[in-house]
Amino acid sequence: MRDAAHERLERRLGIGESVFLGLGSIVGTGVFVSIGLAAGVAGPAVILSLVLAALVATANGMSSASLAANYPVSGGTYEYAHRTVHPVAGFVAGWVFLAAKSASAATAALGFAGYTLYALGSGSAAGWLQPLALAGVAILVLVAARGITGSATFTIVVVSITLGALLLFVAGGLASLDEAAAGRLWPLWRPSPGADGSPLAGMLHGAALMFVAYTGYGRIATLGEEVREPRRTIPRAIVVTLAITMVLYVSVGAVGVATAGPEGLLTATEEQAAPLVVVARAFRWPFVAPALALGAVTAMLGVLLNLILGLSRVLLAMGRRGDMPPAVARVRGATPRTAVLVVGAVILALVLIGDVRVTWSFSAFTVLIYYALTNLAALRLPPERRLFPQIIPALGLAGCLGLAFWVERGIWLAGLGGIALGLLWRVAARRLWGERAPAEADPV
């Protein structure tokens, strides 16, 4: 009889569900909040930041697709790097993923609460922010604990509402452009309101911040054990997800800058954490702002749910190998409920102490390190298992490492310190539980 820790999850997801899960992970905090932060450091060149971040993300997505098609198990780069590079590299990938995405989940929860209060006309009711965020996390943990099928259905509904709201923002913005719009967009290379370096440095810093906003496609890979026909489904779902997202982000960014300018976006982000809604209030169509507020609320919920799903699957994989307590690797009813509950508890704790701006920058650095390891793992695949030329992961690796250290020095120093603490934890975990090998060890 097989141990509960080695039970397999069920393959229930097709291309359509996988694309919506990817979009549900991407279209949220990034487009509704970080575009304002990136505009603050890059100015009008935030449009180039969006394109550069998308190109790096595309290379990473193709690397993730190659790896997930060969190793369709839960855990994403934690498993890929463990098997193709070195166990320590795998652990670092899993550790930084848990750190970055737990913080991102707390940010999404606070964003959901903030946009909800804003939509209700209670933006000054700060006392309700954390209780509402905590309630949102608790409800979505229960949804995730019920299984992947219900989560996918929920995400499809959420993403449909969010995409509709963002398309309405683009249409409403285009209809409201004035004669000064061109001057807000051009020239691209001019001093930006929050920059502390050259325009090029600002553009690269903005790309690092926006890169995080594209990384939800990795959720498709971390759910690889629950996807039907993974070698065919995962690459197609990732490419489709990234193509839709890039077009959407560039459109929203261009309209936002042309309408309010980078200064206006930054101010709206810092003062009210709702830049697009603030911008939309100046549109000729008065119904755009409330519709966008609704889309923002649903987007945050979608991102939060998919982060819970992705985090729990990585925690499951780490528990299988002994890098985390074996109890989190238990699967009941085709769902890693213990891992879901543990992840939920961590996010609830972070909601109480999170800082949105610092958290987002920290996520940028750690996620770039995570995807650098993804590309390194893809470079180690044997030629017969590769889906794409070697130049793709090579460019992805260079792009990730090149952008990672453009965030604030204190942030990347803290990130490196966190990785060092993680390696100490691994030493302790090995002494407590020893190294374990999951049953799903063979590639497809």
Side-chain angles (χ1 to χ4, degrees), residues 288-383:
V288 174
L292 193 66
L294 173 63
V297 170
T298 60
M300 298 298 179
L301 289 175
V303 167
L304 180 55
L305 174 61
N306 281 279
L307 284 170
I308 293 170
L309 291 173
L311 284 162
S312 62
R313 271 56 177 182
V314 172
L315 190 61
L316 164 75
M318 296 182 78
R320 283 172 170 170
R321 288 195 179 275
D323 285 330
M324 289 292 170
V328 300
R330 298 187 184 280
V331 176
R332 300 188 184 281
T335 301
R337 293 180 181 173
T338 302
V340 169
L341 294 175
V342 170
V343 164
V346 172
I347 296 171
L348 287 170
L350 289 174
V351 165
L352 298 175
I353 60 174
D355 181 300
V356 173
R357 185 162 188 165
V358 172
T359 296
W360 191 261
S361 295
F362 181 77
S363 295
F365 174 77
T366 48
V367 168
L368 283 162
I369 296 300
Y370 175 83
Y371 281 102
L373 290 168
T374 301
N375 288 290
L376 181 60
L379 284 170
R380 300 293 296 273
L381 281 174

Side-chain angles (χ1 to χ4, degrees), residues 111-374:
F112 150 72
Y115 269 102
T116 299
L117 292 172
Y118 194 87
L120 295 174
S122 304
S124 61
W128 287 98
L129 186 68
Q130 289 179 330
L132 187 56
L134 294 171
V137 172
I139 291 171
L140 293 185
V141 164
L142 295 177
V143 172
R146 294 190 63 181
I148 191 67
T149 302
S151 299
T153 301
F154 177 87
T155 300
I156 289 172
V157 174
V158 165
V159 171
S160 298
I161 295 172
T162 303
L163 292 180
L166 288 172
L167 291 174
L168 185 61
F169 172 83
V170 172
L174 291 174
S176 305
L177 293 180
D178 56 25
E179 295 180 355
R184 300 186 188 103
L185 283 169
W186 193 266
L188 294 179
W189 302 105
R190 66 174 187 252
S192 51
D196 54 3
S198 68
L200 176 61
M203 188 272 286
L204 293 172
H205 188 177
L209 293 176
M210 287 312 305
F211 175 81
V212 185
Y214 284 101
T215 56
Y217 63 81
R219 207 72 64 251
I220 300 170
T222 60
L223 297 170
E225 196 174 325
E226 296 159 272
V227 173
R228 298 192 302 269
E229 299 182 73
R231 192 170 181 85
R232 171 179 176 272
T233 299
I234 292 173
R236 294 186 180 186
I238 288 177
V239 170
V240 171
T241 299
L242 278 171
I244 294 173
T245 305
M246 181 172 63
V247 172
L248 181 67
Y249 276 23
V250 171
S251 300
V252 170
V255 168
V257 172
T259 304
E263 296 84 357
L265 282 174
L266 177 62
T267 300
T269 303
E270 291 181 334
E271 294 182 357
Q272 303 185 51
L276 298 188
V277 173
V278 173
V279 169
R281 287 192 166 182
F283 288 177
R284 295 175 183 173
W285 300 347
F287 54 85
V288 174
L292 193 66
L294 173 63
V297 170
T298 60
M300 298 298 179
L301 289 175
V303 167
L304 180 55
L305 174 61
N306 281 279
L307 284 170
I308 293 170
L309 291 173
L311 284 162
S312 62
R313 271 56 177 182
V314 172
L315 190 61
L316 164 75
M318 296 182 78
R320 283 172 170 170
R321 288 195 179 275
D323 285 330
M324 289 292 170
V328 300
R330 298 187 184 280
V331 176
R332 300 188 184 281
T335 301
R337 293 180 181 173
T338 302
V340 169
L341 294 175
V342 170
V343 164
V346 172
I347 296 171
L348 287 170
L350 289 174
V351 165
L352 298 175
I353 60 174
D355 181 300
V356 173
R357 185 162 188 165
V358 172
T359 296
W360 191 261
S361 295
F362 181 77
S363 295
F365 174 77
T366 48
V367 168
L368 283 162
I369 296 300
Y370 175 83
Y371 281 102
L373 290 168
T374 301

Side-chain angles (χ1 to χ4, degrees), residues 14 63 72 82 88 100 120 135 156 204 400 424:
S63 294
H82 194 287
V88 172
L120 295 174
I156 289 172
L204 293 172
C400 287
L424 293 176

